[in-house]
Amino acid sequence: MRTGTYLALLIHNHVRAADVLPPRELDLLKSVGAQLAALGRQLRMFGMPNTLAEPAASELRDLLAHVRHEVELAREASAAVVRRNLMSWEAGHA
């Protein structure tokens, strides 16, 4: 994005108190959300090896649950930004 275009968008967003990303950046953020959702699905399908002793298996299970939770939080945050931007575009703030 050219510097002048970026500055115009920044001033526009500040004056109108709008959360509007340029279309290219919004598309990239949508893609990130889709990739995070796919990663979350893959982590849910990840099986535990049968050869792990119980303390190690428990630690691994807890770690995977934590990673799944963090991935879901990141996906929800990116989806919220996309939603706010789409609402701003539809409301004519763009």
Side-chain angles (χ1 to χ4, degrees):
M1 178 180 285
R2 293 187 347 242
T3 305
T5 305
Y6 174 77
L7 289 174
L9 182 65
L10 182 65
I11 292 168
H12 179 271
N13 286 347
H14 179 72
V15 169
R16 289 196 171 198
D19 295 324
V20 178
L21 288 173
R24 181 170 174 252
E25 282 79 2
L26 186 58
D27 289 342
L28 290 172
L29 192 54
K30 286 179 186 177
S31 174
V32 166
Q35 291 171 1
L36 285 169
L39 177 60
R41 287 190 300 274
Q42 290 297 320
L43 286 171
R44 278 193 300 279
M45 292 179 5
F46 185 73
M48 294 293 294
N50 294 332
T51 58
L52 284 179
E54 184 48 41
S58 178
E59 288 178 29
L60 182 57
R61 197 172 18 259
D62 292 345
L63 180 61
L64 283 172
H66 179 71
V67 169
R68 281 194 310 264
H69 177 71
E70 292 297 321
V71 166
E72 182 59 22
L73 288 177
R75 188 202 61 76
E76 288 173 358
S78 64
V81 171
V82 169
R83 268 192 309 277
R84 283 194 307 271
N85 272 269
L86 291 176
M87 287 170 35
S88 290
W89 279 105
E90 291 169 359
H93 292 147

